[in-house]
Amino acid sequence: MQNLPKKVRSKKLSSRVDLTAMVSVSFLLIIFFMVATELRKSKAMDLSLPDYDAYTCGWTGGCGENRSYTILLGEENKIVSYMGFLEVPKIAPKKFEYGKDGIRKELLKQNKRMLDYSAQLGRQGTGMVVIIKPSKKSNFKNLIDILDEMAIADISTYVIVNDFTPEESKLLASK
C-alpha cells in the first residue's frame, strides 16, 4: 500500500462576535437622547394675568388705581415704584434697592395691605396688579430679579410692559 496523502482538514475557527463596542455605543446613544430630551423641555416661568372683561371696566376684579402698582426698572440697578396713576399717585414714587430690605419688603407690605382691603370689600384673595416696566437701559438680570421678587412676595398677577410715558422717563432720569 502506498502512502496516500492525508487529507488536511482546516481548523474550524469560532464564530463569536465581540459586542462590547456595540454595547458602549448603545449606552452613549441612550444617554445622548436622555440629555437632549431634558434640555428640550421649556424652562419658562408661569405668567398669571387677569381675565379681560369689556363690560366691567376692563380687568376682572375691578379696575383703577387702587390695585395697580407700577415698578420702573432703570439703568444701574435703579428701581422706582408708585401705586395708582403717576399724575395722582396713591403712593408717591419712591426709589428702592433689590433684596429683602428693599423692593421685596415694599411688595410684601403693599400686597398684604391690598389683600386686607379686598377682604373688607368681600373679594377674598384679590391682591394687587403689578405693572413691570423695564427701560431700554435696564439689563436682563434686573428683569429676572424683579420676577423672582414677584414669586417670593407671592404676587400672582403682574404684567411686563415696555411703553414708557414721558413722565416716567423723566422720573427714572431724576434722582
Side-chain angles (χ1 to χ4, degrees):
M1 248 198 175
Q2 279 198 44
N3 261 343
L4 292 171
K6 288 187 179 177
K7 282 189 178 179
V8 178
R9 295 197 178 240
S10 64
K11 192 174 184 183
K12 296 229 175 180
L13 297 173
S14 70
S15 60
R16 290 185 56 220
V17 177
D18 189 14
L19 295 177
T20 306
M22 181 76 79
V23 171
S24 297
V25 169
S26 299
F27 277 118
L28 285 174
L29 284 173
I30 290 171
I31 291 170
F32 169 76
F33 285 115
M34 288 173 60
V35 170
T37 303
E38 187 63 30
L39 291 176
R40 190 166 182 238
K41 292 180 183 175
S42 64
K43 306 274 193 262
M45 182 181 288
D46 292 333
L47 181 64
S48 172
L49 295 174
D51 296 328
Y52 187 78
D53 184 6
Y55 299 107
T56 60
C57 186
W59 299 107
T60 303
C63 61
E65 68 277 6
N66 290 331
R67 289 186 62 206
S68 67
Y69 189 83
T70 304
I71 299 175
L72 307 172
L73 304 177
E75 61 184 332
E76 298 177 9
N77 300 331
K78 188 174 186 180
I79 302 174
V80 177
S81 69
Y82 61 91
M83 185 166 232
F85 299 122
L86 187 56
E87 296 79 27
V88 283
K90 295 287 183 184
I91 298 175
K94 207 167 150 185
K95 184 178 176 185
F96 289 99
E97 299 292 325
Y98 288 96
K100 67 178 183 174
D101 294 328
I103 191 70
R104 183 182 311 162
K105 186 177 180 181
E106 180 71 10
L107 287 172
L108 288 167
K109 181 176 88 172
Q110 295 304 328
N111 196 37
K112 181 179 181 337
R113 186 183 66 77
M114 182 51 62
L115 288 171
D116 292 344
Y117 176 72
S118 64
Q120 290 174 357
L121 296 177
R123 294 180 179 168
Q124 200 68 9
T126 306
M128 64 182 182
V129 177
V130 177
I131 302 166
I132 302 168
K133 293 186 175 185
S135 70
K136 291 180 181 175
K137 295 181 180 179
S138 69
N139 58 32
F140 190 68
K141 180 186 180 306
N142 295 144
L143 181 61
I144 297 301
D145 289 344
I146 204 69
L147 291 176
D148 288 341
E149 296 294 342
M150 294 294 124
I152 292 168
D154 197 27
I155 296 173
S156 60
T157 308
Y158 53 89
V159 65
I160 301 169
V161 182
N162 64 356
D163 59 338
F164 268 77
T165 63
E167 293 83 14
E168 290 172 335
S169 297
K170 289 177 189 173
L171 186 63
L172 266 180
S174 68
K175 297 183 184 180

